[in-house]
Amino acid sequence: MVSSFLTLPLAYISFTLEGRTDSEANLLQTIIQVFGTFLFVAIVVFFKRLLNTHFNFDSTNRNLNLMILAEVTTGIFSMLALYVTPLKESAGYAVLVILALQGIVQVQLGYKLLKLKNNLDGLLKPFCYANMATGILFTTIFLIPLGVVVSAISDLMLGTLFLNMSKVVKNLDKKN
């Protein structure tokens, strides 16, 4: 849930800092990047664990691992661009290419998740379609800002899934 509520404000702050080269702007951008990367990786790892442990569903492991790798790589390139001026342009292009590739992986993830036997309290299809839409928007590159909005909606659904599953686990623990 935290991710869904922080995505848009942090993206806005990052956008307003774009073009600034002072140390304060670089520090804020670095904090946003590190926090965002850490949060993304944590969420994906927990989601992967949820799928593997509670649903015995490992068809998406490769996609989730690739998304983590892409996120960490774009984070590194983005921070390099802040502090190594000669790399700024090439790192920016590299980030865009990786985001486009990550979009393809995210479309595949959404498609594979549709095969999950559990409908996740009715959230499976909307979550899958939101992931596919996010992936398509990221892949087009020029629609990435809209992809960020759809991604925040997807994160909200994922947060709801986590909350629902925590209730299920608590009820199972009480029965045992």
Side-chain angles (χ1 to χ4, degrees):
M1 293 288 192
V2 171
S3 177
S4 62
F5 292 116
L6 291 180
T7 296
L8 297 178
L10 290 178
Y12 175 76
I13 292 168
S14 184
F15 179 75
T16 60
L17 294 172
E18 188 64 34
R20 284 183 47 188
T21 56
D22 58 286
S23 59
E24 183 180 297
N26 286 350
L27 178 62
L28 282 171
Q29 287 279 45
T30 300
I31 291 168
I32 290 170
Q33 188 63 53
V34 169
F35 176 75
T37 300
F38 176 77
L39 188 59
F40 180 88
V41 170
I43 289 168
V44 172
V45 166
F46 282 121
F47 184 55
K48 181 179 169 184
R49 188 177 302 156
L50 173 75
L51 291 171
N52 291 325
T53 305
H54 293 287
F55 302 111
N56 198 25
F57 190 78
D58 62 0
S59 298
T60 56
N61 284 356
R62 184 169 182 255
N63 296 83
L64 295 170
N65 290 338
L66 286 171
M67 289 175 67
I68 289 170
L69 179 63
E71 184 70 21
V72 170
T73 304
T74 58
I76 291 168
F77 278 131
S78 295
M79 287 188 290
L80 274 174
L82 291 172
Y83 297 102
V84 184
T85 307
L87 294 178
K88 186 171 186 147
E89 189 173 333
S90 57
Y93 289 131
V95 166
L96 289 176
V97 169
I98 294 168
L99 285 175
L101 293 172
Q102 184 176 356
I104 293 168
V105 172
Q106 194 159 357
V107 170
Q108 292 173 337
L109 171 71
Y111 182 74
K112 287 179 180 181
L113 278 172
L114 285 171
K115 296 176 181 152
L116 186 66
K117 300 290 183 222
N118 189 308
N119 77 355
L120 304 175
D121 294 329
L123 286 174
L124 178 64
K125 284 186 179 181
F127 179 70
C128 291
Y129 294 139
N131 269 283
M132 288 188 267
T134 299
I136 291 167
L137 294 168
F138 271 59
T139 301
T140 63
I141 295 179
F142 63 91
L143 292 176
I144 287 175
L146 183 56
V148 171
V149 173
V150 177
S151 178
I153 293 167
S154 178
D155 288 349
L156 187 60
M157 284 186 257
L158 185 57
T160 304
L161 290 172
F162 283 148
L163 288 175
N164 290 347
M165 287 308 300
S166 71
K167 291 176 188 174
V168 169
V169 170
K170 283 181 186 178
N171 289 337
L172 289 175
D173 288 344
K174 287 180 183 178
K175 289 180 182 178
N176 294 330

